[in-house]
């Protein structure tokens, strides 16, 4: 069965470029992102893993651990990293899972037979400190992911986990947010001292509370 939001992210033990890891132990109390790529030594994947490495500080400041996976063996990953570092002018220092037996790919439903019987699709899973899946994204092999959007969603997930707010369309860090319907206007005024704007009884905004 496909994994759904709120499900516990499946645990596993696997060989990676950083040694053998137990996934839940490796995550600890951090947020995490596990993302799959169709194959080593392919052009789009090279740019994606390079971009992830370039964004190391952005993931770190959000407390997000990153790990990649494909069904290629460990020696292939190790050689490919050299190409990524060279062509993308970066240093890949996050683990890459060598999933040659497809254990992780099958646990996370990363192989879609109607797209490819062998290669993993471009899946993204954002996982919270409670080990629950907070976001899933699936891209076709032909389309590289937008990592700026992934960071934007992480910002929203972390904000809305701690405050009774939601984020509107195209929201980015620092912009006004929406007070969730479960909070009455009277309570919202007390809860959000920066002010509450009532657009409609069901649509109320407030400045981002943690800024």
């Amino acid at each position: 069965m496909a994994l759904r939001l709120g499900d516990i992210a499946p645990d596993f033990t696997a060989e990676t470029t950083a040694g053998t890891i137990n996934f839940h132990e490796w995550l600890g109390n951090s947020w995490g992102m596990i993302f799959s790529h169709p194959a080593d030594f392919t052009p789009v994947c090279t740019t994606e893993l390079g971009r992830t490495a370039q964004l190391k500080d952005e993931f770190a400041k959000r407390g997000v651990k990153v790990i990649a996976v494909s069904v290629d063996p460990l020696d292939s990953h190790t050689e490919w990293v050299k190409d990524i570092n060279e062509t993308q002018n970066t240093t890949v220092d996050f683990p890459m899972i060598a999933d040659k037996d497809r254990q992780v790919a099958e646990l996370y439903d990363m192989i879609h037979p109607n797209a490819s019987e062998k290669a993993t699709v471009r899946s993204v899973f954002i996982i919270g400190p409670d080990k629950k899946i907070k976001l899933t994204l699936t891209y076709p092999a032909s389309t590289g992911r937008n990592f700026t959007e992934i960071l934007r969603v992480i910002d929203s997930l972390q904000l809305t986990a701690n405050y009774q707010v939601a984020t509107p369309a195209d929201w980015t860090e620092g912009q006004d947010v929406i007070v969730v319907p479960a909070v009455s206007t009277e309570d919202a005024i007390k809860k959000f001292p920066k002010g509450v704007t009532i657009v409609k009884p069901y649509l109320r905004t407030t400045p981002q509370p943690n800024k």
Side-chain angles (χ1 to χ4, degrees):
M1 284 186 63
L3 295 171
R4 296 180 176 178
L5 300 184
D7 289 351
I8 297 291
D11 196 14
F12 56 84
T13 299
E15 293 297 317
T16 80
T17 52
T20 302
I21 68 159
N22 173 272
F23 185 54
H24 281 192
E25 277 183 18
W26 176 80
L27 274 177
N29 294 319
S30 298
W31 287 75
M33 179 179 82
I34 180 169
F35 69 116
S36 58
H37 53 273
D40 293 355
F41 299 102
T42 52
V44 177
C45 300
T46 298
T47 65
E48 288 190 316
L49 271 74
R51 185 61 181 142
T52 304
Q54 291 166 359
L55 292 168
K56 173 185 176 180
D57 291 345
E58 293 298 319
F59 284 107
K61 78 180 185 181
R62 292 166 173 83
V64 179
K65 292 184 175 180
V66 174
I67 192 166
V69 57
S70 81
V71 295
D72 298 287
L74 194 59
D75 58 350
S76 174
H77 283 351
T78 302
E79 287 302 309
W80 182 37
V81 165
K82 298 174 185 176
D83 282 3
I84 299 170
N85 292 344
E86 175 192 345
T87 62
Q88 306 304 304
N89 191 30
T90 191
T91 301
V92 173
D93 62 358
F94 53 84
M96 295 166 60
I97 298 166
D99 191 35
K100 61 182 180 180
D101 63 358
R102 301 188 183 186
Q103 174 200 8
V104 178
E106 290 176 6
L107 277 175
Y108 282 79
D109 194 29
M110 291 170 167
I111 295 179
H112 295 191
N114 289 333
S116 170
E117 293 185 359
K118 297 179 180 179
T120 49
V121 291
R122 299 186 195 283
S123 296
V124 180
F125 294 86
I126 303 297
I127 299 161
D130 56 2
K131 307 297 187 294
K132 292 183 178 179
I133 295 169
K134 307 300 182 182
L135 170 81
T136 64
L137 290 170
T138 303
Y139 291 70
S142 58
T143 303
R145 285 164 276 213
N146 184 330
F147 286 87
T148 302
E149 165 63 5
I150 290 171
L151 290 172
R152 186 192 78 88
V153 176
I154 291 169
D155 287 339
S156 174
L157 289 169
Q158 294 182 339
L159 174 67
T160 58
N162 293 315
Y163 298 90
Q164 290 182 294
V165 296
T167 55
D170 297 331
W171 175 87
T172 57
E173 181 79 3
Q175 293 181 339
D176 287 358
V177 296
I178 293 170
V179 179
V180 297
V183 178
S184 70
T185 297
E186 182 181 0
D187 287 343
I189 291 168
K190 297 174 186 175
K191 187 177 289 287
F192 303 110
K194 295 178 184 177
V196 175
T197 300
I198 303 169
V199 182
K200 291 285 184 180
Y202 61 87
L203 176 55
R204 300 154 302 162
T205 64
T206 187
Q208 184 173 331
N210 62 347
K211 284 292 182 181

